[in-house]
Amino acid sequence: MDFPLIQAERKDGDEPFVGAAGVRTELRLVDFWRWSTSDLLVNTTRAVLAEFLVGSALGCAQGVREEWAPYDLETAEGVSVEVKSSAYVQSWAQRALSQVKFDISPRQAWDKARNEFAGAPKRHARVYVFCLLAHRDKATIDPMNLDQWRFYVLPTATLDAARPSQQSLGLSSLEALEPRLVP
C-alpha cells in the first residue's frame, strides 16, 4: 500500500492537544516546543537554530523546515544552501572547549516521493554557510545573541575542488579556503 506525501502546515504554537472524543486538553503545542527545544546549546537544536538564522537572513524561513531535503534552504532566486553548525561551548560538562568541526560529508539525496536514497553521494547545495557559535564563556553564552555567532559562506564548488571527499572540516581548514565572513 502506498501512502501519499504529507505537506506539513506551519503552526503557531497555540494548537491544543486533544484527548478522548476530540476533547481539547490544557496542553498546547508551544508547551511541547518549550520542553523539547529550550536547550539551544545542544547540538541538534543548535543546528536547526543555525538553519533558522540563515534562512531568516536570506528571507527563506517561511513555511516548514523539511527534515529530509537534500539541502537545508533555498532562496527565492533558487540558490540551494547547506547550513552547518559548530560551537566551542556545549550544554554538557566540559573539561575544555570543543574543537570546531563541521560535517561536510557528501551524501545521497533522499527521494521522498519514491521513499529511497537516490544518486551518488555528493554535496547537493550550491553554497555552504558554516555557523560558528564563537562565544567561549559558558556563564554568558547565549545562542540568541547574534553577536556571539560567526557566519562563513563558501561556494560548494570551492569545497569540492579543495576537499572532494573529505568528511569534516576544522575551523583553520575552513579559513584556509577563504570563505566570506558575513556579519
Side-chain angles (χ1 to χ4, degrees):
M1 172 184 237
D2 286 336
F3 295 95
L5 291 173
I6 296 173
Q7 182 63 38
E9 293 181 21
R10 191 171 175 125
K11 308 235 185 276
D12 66 18
D14 196 41
E15 295 83 0
F17 284 83
V18 295
V23 175
R24 292 174 176 231
T25 70
E26 295 294 318
L27 287 175
R28 298 280 184 258
L29 181 58
V30 71
D31 299 320
F32 166 71
W33 289 342
R34 288 176 181 144
W35 174 82
S36 68
T37 55
S38 284
D39 184 354
L40 300 177
L41 284 179
V42 74
N43 294 358
T44 52
T45 303
R46 186 190 66 239
V48 176
L49 175 61
E51 289 177 26
F52 173 74
L53 294 175
V54 172
S56 295
L58 296 174
C60 57
Q62 304 81 5
V64 177
R65 178 178 178 268
E66 189 177 338
E67 181 73 31
W68 290 95
Y71 44 82
D72 297 318
L73 303 166
E74 187 170 339
T75 68
E77 299 78 25
V79 177
S80 53
V81 180
E82 184 70 18
V83 178
K84 296 299 179 183
S85 170
S86 190
Y88 294 106
V89 174
Q90 309 299 327
S91 61
W92 54 81
Q94 294 176 263
R95 294 190 201 302
L97 296 174
S98 292
Q99 288 186 343
V100 172
K101 248 183 204 196
F102 300 98
D103 179 2
I104 58 166
S105 303
R107 301 200 190 283
Q108 284 185 290
W110 180 255
D111 183 334
K112 65 182 177 181
R114 293 175 40 204
N115 195 30
E116 63 186 21
F117 287 103
K122 68 176 195 171
R123 296 180 181 118
H124 298 273
R126 191 165 125 198
V127 175
Y128 271 67
V129 179
F130 297 95
C131 307
L132 173 60
L133 183 53
H135 196 73
R136 296 173 187 234
D137 180 13
K138 196 164 201 161
T140 59
I141 194 160
D142 179 5
M144 293 180 65
N145 180 344
L146 299 181
D147 287 339
Q148 295 184 6
W149 288 87
R150 301 294 171 265
F151 300 92
Y152 301 86
V153 179
L154 188 69
T156 303
T158 302
L159 190 57
D160 284 343
R163 309 277 194 276
S165 60
Q166 193 165 320
Q167 305 292 307
S168 64
L169 190 65
L171 184 57
S172 60
S173 295
L174 171 61
E175 289 172 334
L177 296 173
E178 300 180 353
R180 182 171 167 228
L181 183 59
V182 178

